[in-house]
Amino acid sequence: GGGGGGGGCLVHSHPLHGSTASHGNSITTTATVHAHGGVGASASVPTPQPPSSHPPSTRHSSNSSAASTASSATGSESVTSDQDQADKVSILSEADSGVVCCSNTSRPVSYAGTAQLQGLLQGAAAAAPPGAAFYLTCPLCRKLVFFDEGGVRNLPAYRTMESIVDRFCAREALRCQMCETDPKVASIVCEQCEIRYCDACRELCHPARGPLAKHNLVKPRNAASQRESVCGEHEDTLSMYCLVCKMPACPQCIAEKQHPGHEVQSISVTCKAQKTELSHNLQQLSEKARSTTEFIQRLKGMSDKVTESCMEFERLVTAQCEALIQAIHDRREYLLEAIRMDKDTKIRILKDQQSNCTGKLQQTTGLIQFCIEALKETDSAAFLQVGSMLINRVANTDMTWHQEVTNAAPRVSPIVDLTLDDAALVRAIDNLNFMQMKAPLAPTIVPEDCSAENNSVTVAWHAPAHSFVDGYVLELDDGSGGEFREVYCGKETICTVDGLHFNSMYNARVKAFNNAGEGEYSELIGLQTAEVAWFTFDPILSGGAGSGLVFSNNNATVSVEGWEHRVALGSVGFSRGIHYWEFTVDKYTMDTDPAFGVARIDVNRNKMLGKDEKSFAMYIDGQRSWFQHNSVHERRVEGGITTGSTIGVLLDLERHTLSFLVNEMPQGSVAFRDLYGVFYPAVSINRGVTLTLHTALVAPKMDYF
């Protein structure tokens, strides 16, 4: 295990298995401890093995053993073998958090009673009995580190940090201690005097004669170069690295199968791979830091541009105001003050952004410098203590850089985006103000005011705040996720669009515009049209007042006075989907033959349906029916109608077919195929027939296609 950067310990206590376990006179509680070793720790105390492998009394450090003996000498009661075994079980419990405090056992005395730690304890941990001990389980190697009198010094040293500190201190540590000014690099260290000398000071202050002749002079050595990575258990060089446990190992560890079945490779290979990855990430991050430095310089220069632009704008405003009548003088000072406030605001925003970017750059530069020093580490095991951490930190910084810095832009423009409208009439002087000349912001769609009914949708929106708007543009897609098209342009903030497809999801968006240009689009809103259509006859589409048709029952019933056929059209048109509607024959005389079907919008309304190329129909009498299109009638089918009969029309624009039913039974096979385009429900009648239309019906399932 190893200590991380920081300098504190946080204890959250909780009972073992939901309660405090008591074994005779021993009390065992558990607490989670988050501890971080201090920067530059210089000593490492051997960590004891878990109690399951060795008795605690034989695996503690010397300090721990002494503390345990002292605790026993104060008169604490001995623990039976059963109690000791129960204590071991409590330590190794799966619910154990990794920290144990106890009393009246052979475990070492803790800091539970000291002023430094007691203030950090919360709850049960703070109330631990005197003589309790704490230990920390390394999350990697699972070894136990006891906190006895040695305290955090028992934690393994943060070796990479030590090496970096040693290198930074090397200049002073290896300089002559006897030079009066500008100390030179020391060439000799006296082991007896413990003083470093340069060549000149050695001849002057430490001559090789007399009593000093017996002193042992050696060359100074860097503390970092004296350390070696050795196995704490076997005292052998750490030459291998377990990729599963993510920890170094010596040959004896591998031979004793402490890493059974794990993938192991040379520690130098692993270190080289991580250094290569870290170097690559650092190179990318360094490029971003360089570009950020240039960006900060741009921000600094923009402050002057803002000032210059505002001064020029003040001059123009002053000239315009002086050209107006006396009534405008009172307004001039107000306008100038607004400009100054805008200048101050922009400069403050730019300074804040500059400060934020500078702070980000300083943090990143510090991380880069630290990583560069870490890459100089020659001890592979020491580097691997922080290699993965640095890789992750650099990678995370690199990812967040794109959001925070790379795509950053000045938050304000150095140019004043305002102009003074000096063409206003004298009567508007009291309301004279700056006019915004930027494109407007995006409008806000109001979902609660939007709706879809039948094959129409209604979209409502709010005007963008603090924006001058000349008008809006509403766009819809094709109902299938295709390209958007403009359906409205004007000043209104609500619009209804008719004639859409049924059973389709339309996405709508709106944007505002003014003389400066078009603004951004609003967020999308999806509106679903009805699955089945509700409609009536449309008197206007059917020819208006001069058509001879008589509509009643809210335009659901139609009749005609003359003997000539007249075409009545429905109020909606269909271009896709499956649609079904029916006609009830309210009145029928045997000397007429009404026609039912569909037609295009420009059908001839003064002929029987099916007589021109714009209509597709079935005309029927009291005994039989025919299918007719473009004056061609064919496929006679037996079976007619009487008063009370029902005629059904099935328009399937998924298969592009038209079929008919009489009294809920198919009238022949499919009447027409290959129907593409927009079709309106239609009938043609003359005197003697009255029909009522029924819509919003579920289409029947046909056995043929």
Side-chain angles (χ1 to χ4, degrees):
C9 170
L10 180 61
V11 181
H12 303 285
S13 64
H14 57 86
L16 180 64
H17 297 297
S19 63
T20 301
S22 295
H23 308 290
N25 294 326
S26 77
I27 300 176
T28 303
T29 62
T30 63
T32 302
V33 175
H34 307 282
H36 305 281
V39 175
S42 60
S44 175
V45 179
T47 57
Q49 296 296 322
S52 59
S53 302
H54 302 280
S57 60
T58 61
R59 292 298 295 164
H60 295 164
S61 65
S62 59
N63 290 336
S64 299
S65 299
S68 178
T69 303
S71 178
S72 300
T74 61
S76 61
E77 299 181 9
S78 62
V79 183
T80 64
S81 60
D82 291 340
Q83 293 169 340
D84 186 57
Q85 183 65 25
D87 254 359
K88 293 178 181 179
V89 171
S90 71
I91 292 177
L92 299 178
S93 167
E94 292 181 357
D96 197 335
S97 62
V99 179
V100 173
C101 62
C102 64
S103 66
N104 299 330
T105 69
S106 60
R107 300 185 187 127
V109 178
S110 77
Y111 281 88
T114 63
Q116 291 85 351
L117 184 60
Q118 205 157 24
L120 298 175
L121 298 180
Q122 304 291 334
F134 293 94
Y135 71 78
L136 183 67
T137 303
C138 176
L140 293 179
C141 64
R142 309 307 301 172
K143 289 185 178 181
L144 307 181
V145 179
F146 284 90
F147 292 89
D148 51 21
E149 287 80 357
V152 294
R153 291 189 297 275
N154 291 353
L155 291 171
Y158 192 1
R159 302 194 59 185
T160 302
M161 181 63 73
E162 291 179 5
S163 299
I164 294 175
V165 172
D166 288 342
R167 281 195 297 273
F168 273 97
C169 298
R171 298 186 184 93
E172 299 300 327
L174 298 181
R175 291 188 180 275
C176 177
Q177 295 175 286
M178 302 303 294
C179 293
E180 294 183 0
T181 58
D182 192 15
K184 300 178 182 179
V185 176
S187 59
I188 292 297
V189 176
C190 178
E191 293 184 344
Q192 286 73 26
C193 300
E194 297 183 352
I195 297 177
R196 298 184 297 276
Y197 302 93
C198 63
D199 291 337
C201 292
R202 183 186 56 123
E203 293 295 334
L204 181 63
C205 303
H206 200 288
R209 58 183 179 274
L212 299 179
K214 297 180 180 181
H215 286 196
N216 186 23
L217 302 178
V218 297
K219 291 185 177 295
R221 292 180 297 174
N222 190 351
S225 63
Q226 299 175 7
R227 288 192 291 268
E228 295 181 356
S229 295
V230 296
C231 179
E233 184 175 354
H234 301 103
E235 300 298 332
D236 197 358
T237 303
L238 296 173
S239 60
M240 306 301 291
Y241 188 79
C242 178
L243 299 179
V244 178
C245 299
K246 297 188 181 301
M247 59 180 297
C250 68
Q252 295 187 46
C253 294
I254 304 301
E256 294 176 2
K257 297 184 178 179
Q258 294 186 11
H259 303 273
H262 294 182
E263 184 179 356
V264 180
Q265 69 179 17
S266 172
I267 195 171
S268 60
V269 173
T270 305
C271 183
K272 182 178 179 181
Q274 290 194 10
K275 283 188 175 182
T276 301
E277 183 178 358
L278 179 57
S279 298
H280 177 71
N281 293 342
L282 280 177
Q283 184 178 3
Q284 295 180 345
L285 193 57
S286 298
E287 289 296 324
K288 292 180 173 60
R290 181 186 60 81
S291 61
T292 303
T293 303
E294 298 175 355
F295 177 67
I296 292 175
Q297 295 301 322
R298 288 174 51 200
L299 293 178
K300 293 179 180 179
M302 286 183 65
S303 297
D304 296 335
K305 293 183 179 179
V306 169
T307 303
E308 294 175 2
S309 176
C310 290
M311 292 177 62
E312 176 64 18
F313 192 65
E314 286 184 17
R315 187 188 64 81
L316 294 176
V317 169
T318 302
Q320 287 177 318
C321 289
E322 290 177 351
L324 299 177
I325 61 177
Q326 184 63 34
I328 204 171
H329 286 289
D330 294 336
R331 194 71 177 176
R332 180 180 60 183
E333 291 303 321
Y334 170 82
L335 297 174
L336 295 177
E337 181 61 23
I339 296 172
R340 296 187 187 101
M341 292 179 62
D342 185 60
K343 178 190 71 174
D344 294 339
T345 301
K346 289 185 176 181
I347 292 178
R348 183 174 65 254
I349 292 174
L350 289 173
K351 288 183 178 179
D352 291 342
Q353 189 175 9
Q354 174 186 332
S355 176
N356 293 337
C357 291
T358 301
K360 179 66 176 178
L361 180 61
Q362 289 175 349
Q363 294 177 1
T364 305
T365 303
L367 176 60
I368 293 173
Q369 292 297 330
F370 180 81
C371 293
I372 292 174
E373 294 300 329
L375 289 172
K376 297 177 182 178
E377 176 61 58
T378 58
D379 187 342
S380 300
F383 176 80
L384 291 176
Q385 284 185 321
V386 296
S388 298
M389 180 271 291
L390 291 178
I391 291 172
N392 293 335
R393 187 171 177 184
V394 171
N396 291 337
T397 304
D398 183 49
M399 287 188 295
T400 59
W401 199 281
H402 177 75
Q403 300 174 350
E404 299 178 1
V405 179
T406 303
N407 290 338
R411 296 176 183 171
V412 294
S413 171
I415 306 301
V416 178
D417 298 318
L418 301 169
T419 186
L420 189 64
D421 184 12
D422 58 354
L425 299 176
V426 175
R427 60 181 176 83
I429 289 179
D430 290 339
N431 297 322
L432 186 64
N433 207 335
F434 290 112
M435 178 184 293
Q436 182 179 8
M437 291 305 296
K438 294 188 298 186
L441 301 176
T444 302
I445 290 182
V446 187
E448 56 269 21
D449 292 338
C450 299
S451 62
E453 181 178 355
N454 223 23
N455 65 333
S456 300
V457 298
T458 299
V459 184
W461 59 89
H462 285 322
H466 310 296
S467 295
F468 178 80
V469 177
D470 286 333
Y472 303 92
V473 174
L474 175 63
E475 295 182 357
L476 293 180
D477 65 3
D478 60 358
S480 301
E483 295 183 357
F484 284 85
R485 66 186 187 277
E486 179 179 327
V487 295
Y488 170 76
C489 180
K491 294 185 177 182
E492 300 296 331
T493 57
I494 187 170
C495 178
T496 298
V497 184
D498 299 316
L500 303 176
H501 300 296
F502 286 88
N503 195 23
S504 300
M505 173 63 75
Y506 284 91
N507 292 312
R509 65 185 185 184
V510 63
K511 61 182 177 181
F513 62 87
N514 58 19
N515 291 335
E518 296 181 341
E520 297 292 331
Y521 285 103
S522 66
E523 295 184 356
L524 296 179
I525 185 171
L527 298 170
Q528 175 75 41
T529 54
E531 294 185 9
V532 294
W534 177 91
F535 58 93
T536 61
F537 290 111
D538 191 324
I540 303 301
L541 292 180
S542 301
S547 64
L549 296 169
V550 179
F551 297 99
S552 60
N553 191 21
N554 294 324
N555 294 330
T557 301
V558 62
S559 60
V560 67
E561 297 296 334
W563 291 103
E564 298 295 329
H565 278 266
R566 294 290 182 263
V567 174
L569 295 180
S571 58
V572 298
F574 303 112
S575 59
R576 64 183 177 188
I578 301 175
H579 307 280
Y580 178 72
W581 60 94
E582 292 181 347
F583 297 92
T584 300
V585 181
D586 300 328
K587 176 184 176 182
Y588 177 73
T589 56
M590 298 301 294
D591 58 348
T592 185
D593 43 5
F596 306 85
V598 296
R600 302 190 185 276
I601 191 67
D602 54 347
V603 64
N604 190 334
R605 293 165 175 76
N606 297 320
K607 291 184 178 181
M608 175 187 285
L609 197 67
K611 287 290 186 179
D612 64 355
E613 60 180 7
K614 305 294 185 179
S615 56
F616 303 82
M618 175 191 74
Y619 70 92
I620 188 169
D621 57 19
Q623 298 179 351
R624 63 195 68 82
S625 65
W626 291 265
F627 302 140
Q628 181 173 242
H629 169 63
N630 200 18
S631 295
V632 176
H633 58 99
E634 56 185 356
R635 286 185 287 171
R636 168 177 166 173
V637 179
E638 296 298 325
I641 59 173
T642 60
T643 300
S645 296
T646 299
I647 307 297
V649 182
L650 177 60
L651 178 62
D652 188 343
L653 292 177
E654 291 183 357
R655 297 183 176 89
H656 306 284
T657 61
L658 180 64
S659 304
F660 297 94
L661 297 90
V662 176
N663 295 325
E664 300 182 354
M665 296 297 295
Q667 187 77 354
S669 60
V670 174
F672 302 99
R673 299 182 183 273
D674 299 325
L675 272 66
Y676 292 89
V678 180
F679 299 93
Y680 286 79
V683 296
S684 66
I685 57 175
N686 57 0
R687 186 171 184 174
V689 178
T690 301
L691 303 175
T692 297
L693 175 64
H694 305 278
T695 61
L697 304 177
V698 178
K701 300 295 183 181
M702 306 295 287
D703 295 333
Y704 56 86
F705 302 101

